[in-house]
Amino acid sequence: MSFNPHAQIDQTVLDMIEHSPAGAVPHTPAYQDALVRLRAAHQVYVAADHKNGFVTVRSLSALPSFYAQNLEAFLAGKVEVSALESEASIYSRYVKSLSAALQVGAEERRAAVVAKRTHHRPKQGAEVVQDPAHTIFLIAGAGPNPGLPGNYLYGSVQQSTADAVSGDWTLHVHDREDGAAVCEVHSQAEAFEKLQEVLASAPFLISELASLGFRMT
């Protein structure tokens, strides 16, 4: 039976972070050494909502993920990709889940997350060009930078070529600033299979997505 001499202090720091309103850890060597170990083990991330604060993975594991509510119906072939819940609606559900104190900051980020859609106004005899298929998701985690309010990463699944079914698709995952991971796949089916893998893996650091075939940008 192996014995970890750091187990007790590491556990103490995890408990301390979860019980501190700001996720604070004392600036003493023993506590800071424990924090270094916990971050290296991906058990603790930098908090999005408190400067110099931290958040534990086990607390993030209790947070909901946000994606199209009718995703299962789409995967079952009951609706088309164009009928997926709107990005604005998905983002609004995320904002509503946050405390009132965090909702303002989340709304300030809305324009960066929700894609602007073209309002098509076909003229007589003109071909209507549709927007490429695109849907967003929000999941608990962090990147090189903290996430959105509530410690969320945001991502998208989007059509990259004219053929929505058998053409290329791209998945992006972002933190609050410029930390991002990208994965290119070659069909709509592959794209949504990859999305399900990402959703099932949360919470995570963006760098951990390398195991799912993503590359950092």
Side-chain angles (χ1 to χ4, degrees):
M1 182 176 178
S2 63
F3 173 70
N4 180 359
H6 304 301
Q8 185 172 353
I9 183 65
D10 290 358
Q11 183 63 49
T12 297
V13 170
L14 285 172
D15 293 339
M16 187 176 295
I17 291 171
E18 291 181 350
H19 289 92
S20 166
V25 177
H27 292 281
T28 57
Y31 287 115
Q32 290 300 308
D33 288 348
L35 184 60
V36 169
R37 290 191 296 273
L38 291 169
R39 293 186 68 182
H42 295 178
Q43 295 186 55
V44 169
Y45 302 156
V46 174
D49 306 319
H50 302 285
K51 186 176 181 180
N52 300 321
F54 298 89
V55 61
T56 68
V57 169
R58 67 187 186 189
S59 65
L60 293 182
S61 297
L63 296 180
S65 295
F66 298 92
Y67 49 89
Q69 286 186 310
N70 56 347
L71 179 62
E72 289 187 7
F74 165 72
L75 295 174
K78 297 179 180 178
V79 299
E80 297 295 326
V81 67
S82 58
L84 286 171
E85 180 186 9
S86 73
E87 296 179 16
S89 176
I90 296 169
Y91 197 82
S92 292
R93 289 193 289 108
Y94 150 68
V95 173
K96 188 176 180 180
S97 76
L98 302 173
S99 67
L102 298 180
Q103 288 182 3
V104 173
E107 283 294 354
E108 291 174 351
R109 298 280 176 172
R110 179 184 286 269
V113 179
V114 178
K116 294 180 179 179
R117 314 307 289 171
T118 302
H119 295 286
H120 300 293
R121 301 182 182 212
K123 296 181 180 179
Q124 188 173 6
E127 182 181 353
V128 178
V129 178
Q130 298 294 328
D131 284 318
H134 190 284
T135 188
I136 64 168
F137 55 92
L138 297 106
I139 46 180
N145 311 290
L148 297 179
N151 298 292
Y152 276 85
L153 300 171
Y154 69 94
S156 63
V157 183
Q158 60 190 59
Q159 175 187 346
S160 303
T161 57
D163 187 339
V165 176
S166 58
D168 291 346
W169 285 67
T170 307
L171 292 86
H172 294 259
V173 181
H174 300 263
D175 61 24
R176 186 170 63 198
E177 303 299 337
D178 57 358
V182 179
C183 181
E184 292 94 2
V185 295
H186 302 299
S187 70
Q188 183 184 93
E190 285 185 77
F192 284 92
E193 286 174 7
K194 188 65 65 175
L195 172 60
Q196 292 175 84
E197 290 181 5
V198 171
L199 295 174
S201 300
F204 50 72
L205 288 172
I206 286 181
S207 58
E208 295 180 273
L209 287 175
S211 64
L212 298 181
F214 283 74
R215 58 180 173 81
M216 295 297 293
T217 62

PDB file of all heavy atoms in Angstrom, residues 19-45:
ATOM      1  N   HIS A  19     -14.369  26.132   0.225  1.00  0.00           N
ATOM      2  CA  HIS A  19     -15.101  26.836   1.281  1.00  0.00           C
ATOM      3  C   HIS A  19     -14.797  28.323   1.328  1.00  0.00           C
ATOM      4  O   HIS A  19     -15.404  29.065   2.088  1.00  0.00           O
ATOM      5  CB  HIS A  19     -14.802  26.198   2.648  1.00  0.00           C
ATOM      6  CG  HIS A  19     -15.431  24.844   2.828  1.00  0.00           C
ATOM      7  ND1 HIS A  19     -14.775  23.674   2.520  1.00  0.00           N
ATOM      8  CD2 HIS A  19     -16.670  24.482   3.243  1.00  0.00           C
ATOM      9  CE1 HIS A  19     -15.562  22.646   2.751  1.00  0.00           C
ATOM     10  NE2 HIS A  19     -16.724  23.100   3.195  1.00  0.00           N
ATOM     11  N   SER A  20     -13.854  28.766   0.492  1.00  0.00           N
ATOM     12  CA  SER A  20     -13.533  30.190   0.441  1.00  0.00           C
ATOM     13  C   SER A  20     -14.372  30.862  -0.631  1.00  0.00           C
ATOM     14  O   SER A  20     -14.420  30.391  -1.769  1.00  0.00           O
ATOM     15  CB  SER A  20     -12.047  30.378   0.113  1.00  0.00           C
ATOM     16  OG  SER A  20     -11.778  31.720  -0.257  1.00  0.00           O
ATOM     17  N   PRO A  21     -15.042  31.970  -0.333  1.00  0.00           N
ATOM     18  CA  PRO A  21     -15.841  32.667  -1.342  1.00  0.00           C
ATOM     19  C   PRO A  21     -15.020  33.088  -2.561  1.00  0.00           C
ATOM     20  O   PRO A  21     -15.551  33.195  -3.671  1.00  0.00           O
ATOM     21  CB  PRO A  21     -16.374  33.897  -0.585  1.00  0.00           C
ATOM     22  CG  PRO A  21     -16.333  33.511   0.848  1.00  0.00           C
ATOM     23  CD  PRO A  21     -15.140  32.623   0.990  1.00  0.00           C
ATOM     24  N   ALA A  22     -13.719  33.325  -2.354  1.00  0.00           N
ATOM     25  CA  ALA A  22     -12.864  33.768  -3.454  1.00  0.00           C
ATOM     26  C   ALA A  22     -11.892  32.686  -3.911  1.00  0.00           C
ATOM     27  O   ALA A  22     -11.021  32.946  -4.744  1.00  0.00           O
ATOM     28  CB  ALA A  22     -12.088  35.009  -3.038  1.00  0.00           C
ATOM     29  N   GLY A  23     -12.032  31.470  -3.380  1.00  0.00           N
ATOM     30  CA  GLY A  23     -11.114  30.401  -3.763  1.00  0.00           C
ATOM     31  C   GLY A  23      -9.678  30.688  -3.376  1.00  0.00           C
ATOM     32  O   GLY A  23      -8.743  30.318  -4.087  1.00  0.00           O
ATOM     33  N   ALA A  24      -9.486  31.331  -2.218  1.00  0.00           N
ATOM     34  CA  ALA A  24      -8.161  31.784  -1.808  1.00  0.00           C
ATOM     35  C   ALA A  24      -7.370  30.686  -1.100  1.00  0.00           C
ATOM     36  O   ALA A  24      -7.941  29.818  -0.438  1.00  0.00           O
ATOM     37  CB  ALA A  24      -8.291  32.995  -0.893  1.00  0.00           C
ATOM     38  N   VAL A  25      -6.043  30.769  -1.236  1.00  0.00           N
ATOM     39  CA  VAL A  25      -5.115  29.849  -0.571  1.00  0.00           C
ATOM     40  C   VAL A  25      -4.046  30.691   0.120  1.00  0.00           C
ATOM     41  O   VAL A  25      -3.501  31.615  -0.489  1.00  0.00           O
ATOM     42  CB  VAL A  25      -4.446  28.891  -1.585  1.00  0.00           C
ATOM     43  CG1 VAL A  25      -3.423  27.996  -0.896  1.00  0.00           C
ATOM     44  CG2 VAL A  25      -5.487  28.056  -2.297  1.00  0.00           C
ATOM     45  N   PRO A  26      -3.728  30.403   1.390  1.00  0.00           N
ATOM     46  CA  PRO A  26      -2.699  31.184   2.100  1.00  0.00           C
ATOM     47  C   PRO A  26      -1.359  31.174   1.372  1.00  0.00           C
ATOM     48  O   PRO A  26      -0.990  30.191   0.725  1.00  0.00           O
ATOM     49  CB  PRO A  26      -2.587  30.464   3.452  1.00  0.00           C
ATOM     50  CG  PRO A  26      -3.913  29.797   3.639  1.00  0.00           C
ATOM     51  CD  PRO A  26      -4.332  29.372   2.257  1.00  0.00           C
ATOM     52  N   HIS A  27      -0.605  32.258   1.487  1.00  0.00           N
ATOM     53  CA  HIS A  27       0.677  32.399   0.793  1.00  0.00           C
ATOM     54  C   HIS A  27       1.831  31.882   1.652  1.00  0.00           C
ATOM     55  O   HIS A  27       2.888  32.510   1.739  1.00  0.00           O
ATOM     56  CB  HIS A  27       0.916  33.858   0.405  1.00  0.00           C
ATOM     57  CG  HIS A  27      -0.016  34.341  -0.646  1.00  0.00           C
ATOM     58  ND1 HIS A  27       0.135  34.053  -1.988  1.00  0.00           N
ATOM     59  CD2 HIS A  27      -1.151  35.094  -0.551  1.00  0.00           C
ATOM     60  CE1 HIS A  27      -0.849  34.605  -2.680  1.00  0.00           C
ATOM     61  NE2 HIS A  27      -1.640  35.241  -1.833  1.00  0.00           N
ATOM     62  N   THR A  28       1.656  30.726   2.225  1.00  0.00           N
ATOM     63  CA  THR A  28       2.729  30.093   2.980  1.00  0.00           C
ATOM     64  C   THR A  28       3.287  28.950   2.134  1.00  0.00           C
ATOM     65  O   THR A  28       2.579  28.378   1.305  1.00  0.00           O
ATOM     66  CB  THR A  28       2.221  29.562   4.326  1.00  0.00           C
ATOM     67  OG1 THR A  28       1.138  28.649   4.088  1.00  0.00           O
ATOM     68  CG2 THR A  28       1.712  30.703   5.204  1.00  0.00           C
ATOM     69  N   PRO A  29       4.564  28.596   2.326  1.00  0.00           N
ATOM     70  CA  PRO A  29       5.189  27.577   1.462  1.00  0.00           C
ATOM     71  C   PRO A  29       4.430  26.268   1.385  1.00  0.00           C
ATOM     72  O   PRO A  29       4.267  25.712   0.284  1.00  0.00           O
ATOM     73  CB  PRO A  29       6.572  27.402   2.096  1.00  0.00           C
ATOM     74  CG  PRO A  29       6.865  28.724   2.724  1.00  0.00           C
ATOM     75  CD  PRO A  29       5.542  29.195   3.253  1.00  0.00           C
ATOM     76  N   ALA A  30       3.967  25.749   2.498  1.00  0.00           N
ATOM     77  CA  ALA A  30       3.307  24.445   2.483  1.00  0.00           C
ATOM     78  C   ALA A  30       2.036  24.486   1.641  1.00  0.00           C
ATOM     79  O   ALA A  30       1.778  23.582   0.825  1.00  0.00           O
ATOM     80  CB  ALA A  30       2.980  24.004   3.909  1.00  0.00           C
ATOM     81  N   TYR A  31       1.235  25.530   1.807  1.00  0.00           N
ATOM     82  CA  TYR A  31      -0.010  25.650   1.044  1.00  0.00           C
ATOM     83  C   TYR A  31       0.268  25.904  -0.429  1.00  0.00           C
ATOM     84  O   TYR A  31      -0.407  25.361  -1.313  1.00  0.00           O
ATOM     85  CB  TYR A  31      -0.876  26.758   1.615  1.00  0.00           C
ATOM     86  CG  TYR A  31      -1.527  26.407   2.939  1.00  0.00           C
ATOM     87  CD1 TYR A  31      -1.199  27.090   4.105  1.00  0.00           C
ATOM     88  CD2 TYR A  31      -2.472  25.379   3.020  1.00  0.00           C
ATOM     89  CE1 TYR A  31      -1.788  26.764   5.325  1.00  0.00           C
ATOM     90  CE2 TYR A  31      -3.062  25.045   4.225  1.00  0.00           C
ATOM     91  CZ  TYR A  31      -2.716  25.744   5.377  1.00  0.00           C
ATOM     92  OH  TYR A  31      -3.303  25.407   6.568  1.00  0.00           O
ATOM     93  N   GLN A  32       1.250  26.740  -0.719  1.00  0.00           N
ATOM     94  CA  GLN A  32       1.567  27.041  -2.113  1.00  0.00           C
ATOM     95  C   GLN A  32       2.168  25.830  -2.828  1.00  0.00           C
ATOM     96  O   GLN A  32       1.900  25.603  -4.009  1.00  0.00           O
ATOM     97  CB  GLN A  32       2.520  28.236  -2.188  1.00  0.00           C
ATOM     98  CG  GLN A  32       1.879  29.563  -1.802  1.00  0.00           C
ATOM     99  CD  GLN A  32       0.712  29.933  -2.699  1.00  0.00           C
ATOM    100  OE1 GLN A  32       0.836  29.933  -3.925  1.00  0.00           O
ATOM    101  NE2 GLN A  32      -0.438  30.259  -2.110  1.00  0.00           N
ATOM    102  N   ASP A  33       2.960  25.041  -2.108  1.00  0.00           N
ATOM    103  CA  ASP A  33       3.490  23.810  -2.695  1.00  0.00           C
ATOM    104  C   ASP A  33       2.357  22.840  -3.024  1.00  0.00           C
ATOM    105  O   ASP A  33       2.357  22.174  -4.069  1.00  0.00           O
ATOM    106  CB  ASP A  33       4.483  23.143  -1.743  1.00  0.00           C
ATOM    107  CG  ASP A  33       5.803  23.886  -1.646  1.00  0.00           C
ATOM    108  OD1 ASP A  33       6.042  24.789  -2.478  1.00  0.00           O
ATOM    109  OD2 ASP A  33       6.593  23.573  -0.734  1.00  0.00           O
ATOM    110  N   ALA A  34       1.375  22.763  -2.128  1.00  0.00           N
ATOM    111  CA  ALA A  34       0.221  21.903  -2.372  1.00  0.00           C
ATOM    112  C   ALA A  34      -0.559  22.391  -3.593  1.00  0.00           C
ATOM    113  O   ALA A  34      -1.014  21.589  -4.418  1.00  0.00           O
ATOM    114  CB  ALA A  34      -0.681  21.864  -1.141  1.00  0.00           C
ATOM    115  N   LEU A  35      -0.682  23.697  -3.710  1.00  0.00           N
ATOM    116  CA  LEU A  35      -1.400  24.276  -4.850  1.00  0.00           C
ATOM    117  C   LEU A  35      -0.693  23.929  -6.167  1.00  0.00           C
ATOM    118  O   LEU A  35      -1.351  23.600  -7.163  1.00  0.00           O
ATOM    119  CB  LEU A  35      -1.495  25.786  -4.672  1.00  0.00           C
ATOM    120  CG  LEU A  35      -2.306  26.557  -5.720  1.00  0.00           C
ATOM    121  CD1 LEU A  35      -3.748  26.076  -5.749  1.00  0.00           C
ATOM    122  CD2 LEU A  35      -2.250  28.058  -5.412  1.00  0.00           C
ATOM    123  N   VAL A  36       0.635  23.982  -6.167  1.00  0.00           N
ATOM    124  CA  VAL A  36       1.399  23.619  -7.366  1.00  0.00           C
ATOM    125  C   VAL A  36       1.122  22.159  -7.742  1.00  0.00           C
ATOM    126  O   VAL A  36       0.911  21.831  -8.922  1.00  0.00           O
ATOM    127  CB  VAL A  36       2.906  23.845  -7.134  1.00  0.00           C
ATOM    128  CG1 VAL A  36       3.715  23.223  -8.271  1.00  0.00           C
ATOM    129  CG2 VAL A  36       3.217  25.329  -7.025  1.00  0.00           C
ATOM    130  N   ARG A  37       1.112  21.271  -6.757  1.00  0.00           N
ATOM    131  CA  ARG A  37       0.844  19.857  -7.034  1.00  0.00           C
ATOM    132  C   ARG A  37      -0.562  19.652  -7.575  1.00  0.00           C
ATOM    133  O   ARG A  37      -0.779  18.891  -8.534  1.00  0.00           O
ATOM    134  CB  ARG A  37       1.034  19.026  -5.765  1.00  0.00           C
ATOM    135  CG  ARG A  37       2.470  18.884  -5.300  1.00  0.00           C
ATOM    136  CD  ARG A  37       2.585  17.841  -4.213  1.00  0.00           C
ATOM    137  NE  ARG A  37       1.866  18.204  -2.998  1.00  0.00           N
ATOM    138  CZ  ARG A  37       2.382  18.936  -2.007  1.00  0.00           C
ATOM    139  NH1 ARG A  37       3.634  19.395  -2.088  1.00  0.00           N
ATOM    140  NH2 ARG A  37       1.672  19.204  -0.929  1.00  0.00           N
ATOM    141  N   LEU A  38      -1.522  20.328  -6.973  1.00  0.00           N
ATOM    142  CA  LEU A  38      -2.920  20.164  -7.386  1.00  0.00           C
ATOM    143  C   LEU A  38      -3.148  20.713  -8.787  1.00  0.00           C
ATOM    144  O   LEU A  38      -3.904  20.127  -9.574  1.00  0.00           O
ATOM    145  CB  LEU A  38      -3.839  20.855  -6.385  1.00  0.00           C
ATOM    146  CG  LEU A  38      -3.903  20.202  -5.004  1.00  0.00           C
ATOM    147  CD1 LEU A  38      -4.619  21.112  -4.019  1.00  0.00           C
ATOM    148  CD2 LEU A  38      -4.604  18.849  -5.085  1.00  0.00           C
ATOM    149  N   ARG A  39      -2.500  21.804  -9.132  1.00  0.00           N
ATOM    150  CA  ARG A  39      -2.636  22.346 -10.484  1.00  0.00           C
ATOM    151  C   ARG A  39      -1.975  21.420 -11.502  1.00  0.00           C
ATOM    152  O   ARG A  39      -2.510  21.194 -12.585  1.00  0.00           O
ATOM    153  CB  ARG A  39      -2.041  23.746 -10.553  1.00  0.00           C
ATOM    154  CG  ARG A  39      -2.812  24.786  -9.739  1.00  0.00           C
ATOM    155  CD  ARG A  39      -2.284  26.186  -9.956  1.00  0.00           C
ATOM    156  NE  ARG A  39      -2.546  26.648 -11.329  1.00  0.00           N
ATOM    157  CZ  ARG A  39      -2.153  27.830 -11.795  1.00  0.00           C
ATOM    158  NH1 ARG A  39      -1.466  28.659 -11.008  1.00  0.00           N
ATOM    159  NH2 ARG A  39      -2.434  28.193 -13.030  1.00  0.00           N
ATOM    160  N   ALA A  40      -0.812  20.873 -11.133  1.00  0.00           N
ATOM    161  CA  ALA A  40      -0.120  19.951 -12.041  1.00  0.00           C
ATOM    162  C   ALA A  40      -0.940  18.687 -12.272  1.00  0.00           C
ATOM    163  O   ALA A  40      -0.889  18.089 -13.357  1.00  0.00           O
ATOM    164  CB  ALA A  40       1.251  19.600 -11.477  1.00  0.00           C
ATOM    165  N   ALA A  41      -1.711  18.285 -11.263  1.00  0.00           N
ATOM    166  CA  ALA A  41      -2.553  17.086 -11.363  1.00  0.00           C
ATOM    167  C   ALA A  41      -3.914  17.400 -11.966  1.00  0.00           C
ATOM    168  O   ALA A  41      -4.780  16.522 -12.037  1.00  0.00           O
ATOM    169  CB  ALA A  41      -2.729  16.463  -9.981  1.00  0.00           C
ATOM    170  N   HIS A  42      -4.121  18.653 -12.395  1.00  0.00           N
ATOM    171  CA  HIS A  42      -5.386  19.093 -12.997  1.00  0.00           C
ATOM    172  C   HIS A  42      -6.565  18.895 -12.045  1.00  0.00           C
ATOM    173  O   HIS A  42      -7.660  18.572 -12.460  1.00  0.00           O
ATOM    174  CB  HIS A  42      -5.647  18.362 -14.317  1.00  0.00           C
ATOM    175  CG  HIS A  42      -4.649  18.673 -15.377  1.00  0.00           C
ATOM    176  ND1 HIS A  42      -4.674  18.087 -16.625  1.00  0.00           N
ATOM    177  CD2 HIS A  42      -3.580  19.520 -15.401  1.00  0.00           C
ATOM    178  CE1 HIS A  42      -3.663  18.543 -17.356  1.00  0.00           C
ATOM    179  NE2 HIS A  42      -2.998  19.414 -16.622  1.00  0.00           N
ATOM    180  N   GLN A  43      -6.333  19.138 -10.766  1.00  0.00           N
ATOM    181  CA  GLN A  43      -7.415  19.101  -9.788  1.00  0.00           C
ATOM    182  C   GLN A  43      -7.891  20.496  -9.408  1.00  0.00           C
ATOM    183  O   GLN A  43      -8.945  20.648  -8.791  1.00  0.00           O
ATOM    184  CB  GLN A  43      -6.963  18.358  -8.518  1.00  0.00           C
ATOM    185  CG  GLN A  43      -6.668  16.888  -8.735  1.00  0.00           C
ATOM    186  CD  GLN A  43      -6.379  16.178  -7.436  1.00  0.00           C
ATOM    187  OE1 GLN A  43      -7.176  16.213  -6.497  1.00  0.00           O
ATOM    188  NE2 GLN A  43      -5.229  15.545  -7.360  1.00  0.00           N
ATOM    189  N   VAL A  44      -7.114  21.497  -9.799  1.00  0.00           N
ATOM    190  CA  VAL A  44      -7.427  22.892  -9.464  1.00  0.00           C
ATOM    191  C   VAL A  44      -7.133  23.759 -10.684  1.00  0.00           C
ATOM    192  O   VAL A  44      -6.098  23.581 -11.335  1.00  0.00           O
ATOM    193  CB  VAL A  44      -6.588  23.364  -8.257  1.00  0.00           C
ATOM    194  CG1 VAL A  44      -6.697  24.870  -8.078  1.00  0.00           C
ATOM    195  CG2 VAL A  44      -7.039  22.656  -6.981  1.00  0.00           C
ATOM    196  N   TYR A  45      -8.045  24.700 -10.982  1.00  0.00           N
ATOM    197  CA  TYR A  45      -7.853  25.658 -12.074  1.00  0.00           C
ATOM    198  C   TYR A  45      -7.903  27.074 -11.516  1.00  0.00           C
ATOM    199  O   TYR A  45      -8.476  27.320 -10.443  1.00  0.00           O
ATOM    200  CB  TYR A  45      -8.968  25.538 -13.123  1.00  0.00           C
ATOM    201  CG  TYR A  45      -9.134  24.182 -13.759  1.00  0.00           C
ATOM    202  CD1 TYR A  45     -10.369  23.828 -14.317  1.00  0.00           C
ATOM    203  CD2 TYR A  45      -8.102  23.252 -13.821  1.00  0.00           C
ATOM    204  CE1 TYR A  45     -10.551  22.588 -14.922  1.00  0.00           C
ATOM    205  CE2 TYR A  45      -8.277  22.019 -14.420  1.00  0.00           C
ATOM    206  CZ  TYR A  45      -9.499  21.687 -14.963  1.00  0.00           C
ATOM    207  OH  TYR A  45      -9.673  20.466 -15.551  1.00  0.00           O
TER     208      TYR A  45
END
